[in-house]
Amino acid sequence: MSESNIDFMIQPQLKFSQDESGLEYIEIENRLATAKIALQGGHVMTWQPKSQDQPVLWLSSNARFIKGRSIRGGIPICWPWFGAHPTDSALCPHGFARVIPWQLVDADTLKNGATRLVLQMMETAESRRQLSYPHLLAMTITIGETLKIDLATTNKASHPFVVGEAFHTYFKVSDISNVHVKGLEDALYSDKVFAYERRVEKNDVRFNGEFDRVYLNTTADCMIEDTGLHRQIRISKSGSQSTVVWTPWADKAEQMGDMGAPDEWRTMVCVETANALENAVVISPNRTHVLSVEYSVETL
Ligand code: BG6
């Protein structure tokens, strides 16, 4: 969809731009919220409802905006596998959807004033090299007082295929020590920090070191309670059996090189709506699977 094809009613809400390395962006402003999306990766970089005085998403102050590199912060899309590729360690962790171009295929305004955009992942030589069977990946992003994202995978092949996936969302928090994640009590998890050891979560999640867990077989909403910002972010999901919670802590953040100033990692936490490990989804020919999430902010 080119800029000139967009419905004239929605044109004032969208601003298109390109940076010096050729990456393209859409900035959205409606009466409910502002947001910015990079077309590379279909990557929602920012979202802030007008009712809030703080951004909801965290974006690193030294995120790199480079062709073929994922942006640190916002909502990277992990697809068609989560974490390491199941059989080929040479392939990029978390799949290729976050580093190849997407295109805008539809845009409209909902009755409540929210902006709805539909993006589709483009086929490139790289995507064909890494995933040989035919597929369609489309994402509907609804930007308003809440942020809703549907990621739809359609199997165009004549055989079933398996997809691992996640909205790898970075949330802005006051400080990691002020944060509790609720909703994962009693869930089984695989702990990457301790050689994928499996345990059951007993309480709310709190943080005092590197944290990297895939919670399995859980369809529950999660809440990020932040006593410093006096807010709670609610994560409601469907089509998802896993939730991943990740924070790198100081040493790993330093090694990563794009996590911002030395203590900037303390102001983020990732709570990822996913289908990971044995929760990866088998999709039959001509069927579509949809992973959905909706984020909302409540005052504490
Ligand atoms: C999390 C993983 O989802 O993503 C972590 O569980 C990983 O193990 C983190 O370190 C960041 O991944 P990346 O590829 O964006 O640096």
Side-chain angles (χ1 to χ4, degrees):
M1 180 183 238
S2 76
E3 224 172 303
S4 54
N5 290 339
I6 292 172
D7 185 319
F8 76 96
M9 292 287 282
I10 198 176
Q11 272 182 23
Q13 295 175 19
L14 306 182
K15 197 170 124 199
F16 294 82
S17 61
Q18 193 170 38
D19 68 14
E20 51 293 346
S21 54
L23 295 193
E24 295 175 279
Y25 304 92
I26 309 172
E27 280 170 76
I28 301 98
E29 176 155 19
N30 57 41
R31 63 184 170 76
L32 301 169
T34 56
K36 184 170 182 179
I37 296 171
L39 283 180
Q40 173 169 281
H43 196 129
V44 178
M45 294 161 52
T46 65
W47 165 61
Q48 184 169 348
K50 292 205 169 155
S51 60
Q52 300 297 315
D53 57 9
Q54 291 279 335
V56 181
L57 304 179
W58 180 91
L59 181 65
S60 168
S61 64
N62 72 341
R64 295 168 186 149
F65 301 98
I66 300 172
K67 277 194 177 164
R69 286 285 299 265
S70 180
I71 299 164
R72 182 69 63 195
I75 313 182
I77 301 298
C78 304
W79 188 96
W81 56 87
F82 179 84
H85 184 275
T87 54
D88 185 350
S89 59
L91 295 178
C92 182
H94 291 334
F96 54 82
R98 61 179 177 163
V99 295
I100 65 170
W102 292 54
Q103 60 185 340
L104 181 65
V105 294
D106 201 6
D108 63 354
T109 305
L110 303 188
K111 278 195 185 129
N112 69 0
T115 307
R116 183 169 56 191
L117 303 180
V118 182
L119 269 59
Q120 199 171 299
M121 188 176 72
M122 293 169 78
E123 254 197 82
T124 64
E126 195 49 32
S127 71
R128 276 191 295 271
R129 185 180 75 80
Q130 298 197 34
L131 189 66
S132 56
Y133 33 83
H135 57 270
L136 191 70
L137 187 63
M139 180 159 57
T140 303
I141 306 171
T142 307
I143 299 144
E145 183 60 26
T146 69
L147 178 69
K148 187 168 188 316
I149 311 180
D150 299 315
L151 183 71
T153 304
T154 301
N155 182 349
K156 299 268 188 189
S158 52
H159 54 83
F161 61 65
V162 179
V163 162
E165 56 187 350
F167 298 118
H168 191 308
T169 307
Y170 292 73
F171 292 98
K172 182 175 170 56
V173 296
S174 56
D175 186 277
I176 194 74
S177 61
N178 295 330
V179 167
H180 303 169
V181 178
K182 299 183 292 186
L184 296 166
E185 303 79 12
D186 301 324
L188 173 71
Y189 63 85
S190 167
D191 194 336
K192 196 168 165 188
V193 178
F194 294 97
Y196 299 94
E197 191 176 88
R198 291 196 168 209
R199 291 196 190 159
V200 173
E201 192 62 70
K202 293 204 179 68
N203 301 303
D204 297 359
V205 173
R206 291 158 198 246
F207 304 92
N208 55 18
E210 184 187 353
F211 198 100
D212 194 353
R213 296 182 185 172
V214 178
Y215 292 87
L216 294 157
N217 312 324
T218 173
T219 56
D221 285 9
C222 281
M223 276 71 64
I224 304 173
E225 189 183 289
D226 182 350
T227 51
L229 289 180
H230 308 290
R231 74 178 182 188
Q232 171 167 278
I233 299 168
R234 177 176 293 273
I235 302 165
S236 306
K237 64 175 189 167
S238 65
S240 159
Q241 294 281 329
S242 318
T243 295
V244 180
V245 181
W246 175 66
T247 180
W249 223 255
D251 290 351
K252 195 159 184 196
E254 195 184 332
Q255 287 160 25
M256 289 168 73
D258 60 356
M259 287 294 293
D263 273 349
E264 205 172 311
W265 63 270
R266 296 193 67 93
T267 62
M268 58 126 299
V269 66
C270 285
V271 179
E272 308 168 34
T273 296
N275 287 305
L277 304 179
E278 64 260 43
N279 291 148
V281 179
V282 180
I283 307 174
S284 302
N286 298 314
R287 301 305 289 260
T288 298
H289 155 75
V290 183
L291 175 70
S292 297
V293 77
E294 184 166 15
Y295 304 125
S296 51
V297 185
E298 299 157 11
T299 304
L300 280 183

